[in-house]
Amino acid sequence: VVQRDLAQARADFPILRTRVHGKPLAYLDNAATTQKPDAVIDAEADFYRNANANVHRGVHALSQRATDAYEGARHKVRSFINAGADAEIIFVRGTTDAINLVAQGFSLPRLVAGDEIIVSALEHHSNIVPWQMACRRAGAVLRVVPIDDAGEFDLDAYAALLNGRTRLVAVTHLSNALGTINPVRRIIDLAHAHGVPVLLDGAQAVSHLPVDVRALDCDFYAFSAHKLYGPTGIGVLYGKTAHLQAMTPCQGGGDMIRSVSFGTTEYNELPYRLEAGTPHIAGVVGLGAALDYVTSIGIERIGAHERELLHSATRQVTGIPGLRIVGTAAEKAGILSFTLAGIHPHDIGTMLDDSGIAIRAGHHCAMPLMQRLGVDGTARASFALYNTHDDVDRLVAAIRRVCATLRS
Ligand code: PMP
């Protein structure tokens, strides 16, 4: 892959030239979804223009071209997260879909009354609700690892929660609401000492950190393409081969079978067994292009750049009267969550929008976390590879204007 210069990368994202309310756009809502480079937009359009056909079935040339593009992208995903085999990469709709697949297809068939599943207080709703649903159906119990006031995972409390009834641990690699990077190696080692598999929610981590699923030794890893400069509607479930083989498919249909009769159906091999129906082929092609793009810049360089922006933003907002940074973990990636005393986060978001600055305001799909931290919601600026020091300076100036306007 040819190396690309990070400083030039902003020009690769056409939407960043859009003006909002007559102002240049400072897009700081990347934890919700990232913008797409021309390379991704063009790859999807090129697929539809030159290679569109269904995969895995036609004998004709276009179908072969489409299948090569689809399976080629699976191979790129394997390399990107260093999985052991292409068949360990299952294409799904996104992180939510991946977690639900594990909850329904892996955990639920094995859960009995009194079993336990562990999540943490940092989780996004999509890493809470699927486990709640499975536990409710099986009569199992959801256990929650507490955090401290900085938003750090409590390893001691976690170690004490693991026991002979624990069937799975599901935790986020990186908190979408606070930016906390969890000590996932320790979390996994402790679970494995009890023979318990671990699912990591990698929705946020993949765009900020190098991820090596074999070095982590995680059992499942879930992420969405759209937070990694790729298309919406497509994501990945990585699973160790033995776990994926042990899973019950949740969806039946074309492609996931080897043979069908009205009496019985024999399922296909991995990964197809867990990919029923025509997949989002163009989305997979776009994801492959996004991975090529990110690799051409280098995920370490992207992470270092975002950390620099985070440090600059943190330094500049510290000392603004009434501003509280929510989430002050020692290990943190490109997310700045904050509140302003006496000002609703939505008012902050609306006023920043008037200045052309896009942030997220609210509970960030993490209501239990907000409750733990004693806030209804926060304002959140989240950084991506194309953000600049100018974006940060505009953010800080706009926050100061919010204070001056709404407190006067
Ligand atoms: N987990 C985390 C940590 C997230 O940030 C998100 C997206 N906000 C999700 C899960 C869900 O991802 P998706 O909506 O793409 O399925």
Side-chain angles (χ1 to χ4, degrees), residues 31-32 93-97 99 122-127 172 174-177 201-204 223-227 360 364-365 380:
R93 285 191 299 135
T95 310
T96 305
D97 199 27
I99 296 172
L122 283 166
E123 302 313 315
H124 186 281
H125 296 160
S126 67
N127 201 27
T172 192
L174 200 165
S175 158
N176 64 304
D201 171 353
Q204 296 295 332
F223 66 93
S224 306
H226 72 93
K227 294 179 199 273
R360 174 110 184 244
H364 315 298
C365 300
R380 178 190 70 187

Side-chain angles (χ1 to χ4, degrees), residues 80-222:
F80 191 73
I81 61 170
N82 195 32
D86 288 4
E88 293 182 324
I89 306 302
I90 310 297
F91 288 122
V92 293
R93 285 191 299 135
T95 310
T96 305
D97 199 27
I99 296 172
N100 277 277
L101 177 55
V102 176
Q104 298 295 314
F106 181 78
S107 294
L108 184 57
R110 288 170 182 72
L111 280 178
V112 297
D115 282 350
E116 298 180 3
I117 285 180
I118 294 179
V119 297
S120 87
L122 283 166
E123 302 313 315
H124 186 281
H125 296 160
S126 67
N127 201 27
I128 300 173
V129 183
W131 306 113
Q132 250 170 1
M133 292 162 79
C135 284
R136 209 160 279 160
R137 280 178 62 180
V141 182
L142 193 65
R143 298 272 181 221
V144 183
V145 180
I147 53 166
D148 65 14
D149 293 339
E152 289 187 330
F153 187 93
D154 185 337
L155 274 171
D156 292 334
Y158 166 63
L161 279 177
L162 284 163
N163 68 67
R165 297 309 301 265
T166 313
R167 294 290 167 260
L168 189 108
V169 172
V171 294
T172 192
H173 193 170
L174 200 165
S175 158
N176 64 304
L178 309 183
T180 308
I181 302 171
N182 272 332
V184 288
R185 266 312 316 242
R186 292 281 297 139
I187 291 171
I188 292 164
D189 286 348
L190 284 163
H192 286 178
H194 286 78
V196 175
V198 178
L199 174 141
L200 293 182
D201 171 353
Q204 296 295 332
V206 281
S207 59
H208 302 297
L209 312 170
V211 172
D212 181 332
V213 291
R214 276 190 286 181
L216 288 170
D217 200 26
C218 59
D219 297 275
F220 295 103
Y221 199 94

